[in-house]
Amino acid sequence: MILALETSCDDTCAAVVTAGGEVRANVVASQGLLHERYGGVVPEIASRHHLELVNPVVRAALQEAGCELAQIEAVAVTTRPGLIGALLVGVSSAKALAAGNRVPMVAVDHLQGHVAAAFLEPDPLEPPFLALIASGGHTMLTAVRDHRSHEILGQTLDDAAGEALDKAARLLGLGYPGGPAIERAAREGDSEAHSFPVAMSRGPGLDFSFSGLKTALVYVVREIEADELGSARADLAASFQAAVVAQLRAKVRRALKGGEWEALALGGGVAANGPLREALQDLCDERGVRLKLVAPELCTDNAAMIGSAARFGERVAYPGYLDWDATPR
Ligand code: KG4
Ligand code: ZN
């Protein structure tokens, strides 16, 4: 059994995953509410709370899995990329747990973790496949040809999709994290009320861009009287979400066009978005491509995906990992 820790951003996560890819426990202590009033993650606050939460979260994961520390064969941890102070809390805790029990460690890249969520039971997806990873920090299309690595085919040139949704939600006074708030508000709105630009949809490559979309929203909101924003919010949220989904769909469509890929996996927090899932399901049905969706709690940051990646990563025996560092990129 692998014990995995993930603290790269504002969620303190621990999970227990079997060698066969079953998730025995997947505990997430979200700090979302603590950061809400700042409209985004405050790195120093995140680190301090990881420090308070990491031990209880690990304990809760072991308890949920019905597992003793002595049964853990390896400790996995996200070492990059992320907020440096936040990552260091996870790396230090994981080292202490591994060294105290004299078990090996596996260093995991957070993005490989998002990819590896597709390798988990039930119904794991086997490479090769195309993956769209869209989160608060990253938006990329990546080629997954084995269990250990992936090759980025295209990525955002500016903001990430989740970042754009978070900024839009902030502008609309919908709170943080923005993605779920926009999705909720959009249910009551008309996605055709405003036509926001779908950037990059005609460009030849697979890169994304979301900053122009955010600027377009700023201009629209500026024209709306403060007392009218309340009634305009749902339409703005729906139209903005539709533009984000349209761009992601257009790029996936282009990547599938060559016919190389028989399966597409979605990962990252934005992959929890209902309208995005529906749009990509339609696209995949159209093209006869299998769409692998994992549960929303495996899309947003979690440690089960880190444990999943660690099943295929290099195990480093004690004391080889004691000098491991975390890196922001
Ligand atoms: O993967 P994740 O949990 O953390 C990062 O690695 O960034 O992704 C968080 C991002 C946030 O921007 C959040 O607003 C977005 O994912 N998100 C969503 C939804 N749930 C989370 N975006 C759209 N719809 C959702 N339901
Ligand atoms: Zn993430």
Side-chain angles (χ1 to χ4, degrees):
M1 244 153 348
I2 297 173
L3 171 66
L5 272 68
E6 149 65 46
T7 62
S8 66
C9 191
D10 63 338
D11 294 316
T12 316
C13 319
V16 177
V17 174
T18 67
E22 269 174 61
V23 181
R24 289 287 164 85
N26 188 22
V27 178
V28 178
S30 174
Q31 303 178 14
L33 291 175
L34 293 166
H35 300 274
E36 184 170 10
R37 66 179 156 133
Y38 306 103
V41 178
V42 183
E44 182 58 21
I45 294 180
S47 317
R48 284 165 193 252
H49 283 93
H50 282 311
L51 211 48
E52 285 169 14
L53 291 166
V54 68
N55 287 336
V57 164
V58 166
R59 226 175 287 133
L62 289 169
Q63 196 175 14
E64 198 177 303
C67 162
E68 306 279 333
L69 255 183
Q71 292 168 263
I72 296 297
E73 297 149 46
V75 179
V77 67
T78 309
T79 56
R80 62 181 291 270
L83 302 170
I84 187 66
L87 284 166
L88 281 169
V89 176
V91 171
S92 313
S93 307
K95 276 186 199 171
L97 285 161
N101 293 281
R102 292 292 193 270
V103 294
M105 267 182 85
V106 185
V108 177
D109 176 292
H110 182 81
L111 294 169
Q112 181 63 24
H114 277 300
V115 168
F119 303 148
L120 286 166
E121 291 285 351
D123 210 12
L125 185 62
E126 291 299 315
F129 58 84
L130 177 72
L132 170 68
I133 307 297
S135 71
H138 302 268
T139 299
M140 63 186 202
L141 269 166
T142 194
V144 182
R145 297 195 174 90
D146 59 56
H147 287 103
R148 296 184 71 145
S149 63
H150 61 97
E151 181 202 344
I152 298 176
L153 305 174
Q155 56 193 322
T156 184
L157 302 176
D158 39 58
D159 291 353
E163 185 181 1
L165 289 162
D166 291 338
K167 287 176 176 168
R170 189 175 179 182
L171 255 167
L172 296 174
L174 289 169
Y176 175 87
I182 294 263
E183 184 176 358
R184 267 193 307 276
R187 283 189 201 123
E188 315 295 323
D190 174 4
S191 62
E192 289 174 12
H194 303 270
S195 79
F196 287 114
V198 179
M200 318 288 288
S201 58
R202 280 187 291 276
L206 293 175
D207 288 334
F208 302 87
S209 166
F210 292 97
S211 73
L213 183 55
K214 174 194 66 194
T215 310
L217 179 66
V218 170
Y219 284 126
V220 174
V221 169
R222 218 179 258 172
E223 295 302 311
I224 297 176
E225 301 290 335
D227 58 341
E228 285 169 10
L229 186 60
S231 54
R233 221 174 245 145
D235 285 349
L236 286 166
S239 305
F240 190 88
Q241 176 178 256
V244 171
V245 169
Q247 186 182 156
L248 293 171
R249 183 186 187 281
K251 286 305 156 110
V252 170
R253 187 164 177 276
R254 179 165 304 147
L256 292 177
K257 238 180 176 168
E260 183 189 350
W261 305 105
E262 289 175 9
L264 169 72
L266 293 193
V270 180
N273 185 268
L276 176 66
R277 287 173 166 243
E278 284 162 27
L280 293 178
Q281 186 68 65
D282 285 350
L283 176 66
C284 286
D285 289 348
E286 235 171 66
R287 306 198 64 92
V289 166
R290 174 180 172 199
L291 177 63
K292 167 70 177 168
L293 296 173
V294 295
E297 64 271 21
L298 293 173
C299 292
T300 46
D301 285 351
N302 67 88
M305 68 184 197
I306 303 303
S308 178
R311 290 155 60 217
F312 307 98
E314 186 194 354
R315 288 189 180 191
V316 174
Y318 175 87
Y321 47 78
L322 290 180
D323 63 351
W324 279 5
D325 212 348
T327 44
R329 287 186 189 283

